[in-house]
Amino acid sequence: MALFYKLKRNEIRSNKSFGKWFAIPVKMGTLGMDVIEQRVQNNCSMKRSDVRAVLCEVQEVIKDGLLSGMVVDLGELGKFQLSPKSVGADSPLDFTKRNIKGVRCNYTPYGYRRGNGDRTIQRDFFKNVDFERLKSD
């Protein structure tokens, strides 16, 4: 399987990359809760209703953890953390809550170091990723 992309030109004149072409992802659909529930049911002894109950409760626990300012570590699934989106201020004294414009949810896939002196982090979510350019109309 491959991740599909198409090319898009940067049209923002004030940007230093104006006029350059970049790969942007092509969404190939959505994997919704109903499909996830069915696939998990097919792969184990749990019924779909049990899977839904567990996933709904996990969602609540994750939300509570995030809203408490915690990093939610889901082991080999990765980590989630909330962070503020803000605009800069000239000094710390000038920074107020008005500088905070929103919140973003950061996801970091599980990673590990091989332990052989190699400092790079291995991420299984990205292992064997292949890209393919989507043919234009």
Side-chain angles (χ1 to χ4, degrees), residues 3 20 23 25 56 59 63 68 71 73 75 80 93 97-99 108-109 118 120 124-125:
L3 298 179
K20 296 192 179 190
C56 287
Q59 174 188 347
K63 180 180 175 183
S68 297
V71 174
D73 187 344
F80 293 87
L93 296 174
K97 279 190 175 180
R98 284 192 214 153
N99 291 76
T108 305
D118 182 0
T120 59
D124 288 343
F125 265 38

Side-chain angles (χ1 to χ4, degrees), residues 12-69:
I12 303 169
R13 291 192 183 275
S14 62
N15 190 292
K16 67 180 178 180
S17 297
F18 172 73
K20 296 192 179 190
W21 292 84
F22 294 89
I24 59 168
V26 175
K27 295 176 186 162
M28 303 305 288
T30 301
L31 183 63
M33 284 291 282
D34 56 338
V35 175
I36 293 170
E37 293 162 4
Q38 187 64 48
R39 288 184 182 180
V40 172
Q41 174 180 285
N42 293 343
N43 292 331
C44 70
S45 62
M46 293 175 69
K47 289 184 179 179
R48 186 175 178 175
S49 58
D50 299 325
V51 174
R52 180 173 247 329
V54 169
L55 290 175
C56 287
E57 191 56 35
V58 167
Q59 174 188 347
E60 288 298 316
V61 171
I62 290 171
K63 180 180 175 183
D64 289 345
L66 291 173
L67 293 176
S68 297

